[in-house]
């Protein structure tokens, strides 16, 4: 078997594919173990407990075999990537909230933008927010504004995945769901808003990744110290499994390709 360190590979799907082939060819084996010794570098630097060691295995099944990637096929036309990049850039001008600069940005949307964007993004250039359709320095002015931010974030995620750009979707999905949840502020009582926001975050994330328990685990660990987890976790657990059930009712396909290897 061959081994490959994740930190030694440049970013990008093409670089990853080349590294896999080179490692397999070098050892003459069809099996390759990929190890990321510190998965969650940003969390580690910020002293957040959401870190771990990630270990994956790849097997060569033939040069002509179909290759699947989390965010689309291996090869994409330059024109498509350029168009997707331009579209995401335009979204970021209209909705700077959709730019994801780390898990700390969640606080900006969890409390309905009561925490200004500049507090979680030190040195935020004014030119980046000058054309914002929703003011980033004050709470959501109306439920529609919150839904617009959440919808823009979901669109940015979809465009990035369709264009084959690498990157995670877990915390961006949390961000989008939290914004959409605040769109129901006029319907959900204020006392229930924390549970409602976390539940929609869990349902959205679990419906995409089909990982309900891991979703609950991540939300529980990333919650503030003042959060009443004994009250929040039961509805979050239920929402996670409801999200998985609902997504399976629509489609059996998953964002991540789960496949049994004998």
């Amino acid at each position: 078997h061959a081994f490959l360190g994740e930190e030694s590979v440049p970013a990008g799907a093409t670089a990853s594919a080349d590294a896999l082939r080179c490692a397999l060819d070098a050892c003459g084996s069809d099996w390759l173990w990929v190890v990321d010794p510190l998965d969650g570098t940003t969390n580690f630097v910020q002293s957040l407990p959401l870190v771990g060691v990630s270990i994956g295995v790849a097997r060569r099944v033939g040069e002509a075999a179909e290759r699947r990637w989390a965010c689309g096929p291996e090869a994409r036309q330059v024109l498509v990537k350029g168009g997707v990049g331009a579209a995401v850039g335009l979204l970021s001008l209209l909705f700077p909230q959709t730019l994801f600069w780390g898990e700390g940005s969640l606080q900006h949307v969890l409390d309905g933008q009561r925490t200004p964007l500049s507090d979680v993004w030190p040195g935020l250039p004014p030119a980046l927010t000058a054309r914002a359709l929703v003011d980033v320095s004050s709470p959501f002015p109306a439920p529609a504004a919150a839904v617009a931010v959440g919808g823009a974030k979901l669109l940015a995620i979809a465009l990035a995945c369709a264009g084959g750009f690498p990157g995670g979707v877990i915390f961006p999905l949390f961000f989008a769901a939290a914004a959409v949840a605040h769109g129901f502020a006029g319907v959900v009582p204020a006392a229930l808003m924390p549970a409602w926001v976390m539940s929609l975050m869990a349902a959205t994330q679990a419906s995409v990744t089909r990982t309900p328990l891991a979703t609950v685990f991540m939300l529980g660990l990333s919650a503030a110290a003042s959060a009443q987890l004994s009250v929040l976790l039961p509805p979050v657990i239920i929402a996670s499994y409801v999200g998985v059930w609902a997504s399976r009712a629509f489609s059996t396909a998953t964002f991540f390709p789960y496949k049994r290897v004998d």
Side-chain angles (χ1 to χ4, degrees):
H1 291 204
F3 292 86
L4 178 67
E6 185 271 342
E7 301 293 347
S8 63
V9 181
T14 301
S16 298
D18 291 340
L20 289 174
R21 295 192 193 93
C22 290
L24 289 171
D25 293 341
C27 71
S29 172
D30 289 336
W31 291 91
L32 174 67
W33 293 87
V34 183
V35 180
D36 184 355
L38 183 58
D39 191 358
T41 307
T42 301
N43 291 343
F44 179 79
V45 172
Q46 297 179 354
S47 300
L48 296 175
L50 299 175
V51 297
V53 178
S54 295
I55 302 176
V57 62
R59 187 181 72 165
R60 176 160 43 196
V61 294
E63 292 298 329
E66 176 188 2
R67 296 181 177 90
R68 298 185 64 186
W69 301 88
C71 282
E74 173 188 357
R76 293 282 183 176
Q77 297 295 326
V78 174
L79 182 61
V80 174
K81 285 185 176 291
V84 169
V88 174
L90 178 61
L91 268 178
S92 68
L93 287 177
L94 301 178
F95 296 95
Q97 301 92 330
T98 62
L99 291 171
F100 201 73
W101 50 93
E103 288 75 9
S105 64
L106 282 176
Q107 185 57 46
H108 173 64
V109 72
L110 281 174
D111 58 10
Q113 293 195 163
R114 289 176 176 81
T115 299
L117 190 61
S118 56
D119 285 4
V120 297
W121 190 353
L124 175 67
L128 193 59
T129 61
R131 297 178 177 84
L133 298 181
V134 178
D135 189 359
V136 300
S137 60
S138 60
F140 290 125
V147 174
V149 170
K153 185 59 180 175
L154 288 173
L155 180 57
I157 295 171
L159 286 170
C161 290
F165 292 103
V169 297
I170 294 176
F171 282 95
L173 283 173
F174 282 155
F175 185 98
V180 172
H182 280 284
F184 293 83
V187 179
V188 179
L192 298 179
M193 277 302 293
W196 163 246
V197 171
M198 285 191 68
S199 295
L200 191 57
M201 292 168 67
T204 303
Q205 157 69 9
S207 68
V208 174
T209 62
R210 308 284 173 85
T211 55
L213 287 180
T215 297
V216 173
F217 183 73
M218 285 186 289
L219 284 174
L221 286 178
S222 59
S226 59
Q228 297 179 325
L229 292 181
S230 60
V231 177
L232 295 175
L233 285 184
V236 167
I237 293 173
I238 295 173
S240 295
Y241 281 95
V242 169
V244 173
W245 172 81
S247 64
R248 283 179 175 173
F250 284 104
S251 173
T252 58
T254 60
F255 181 82
F256 297 112
Y258 300 107
K259 184 178 181 181
R260 179 177 177 178
V261 178
D262 296 324

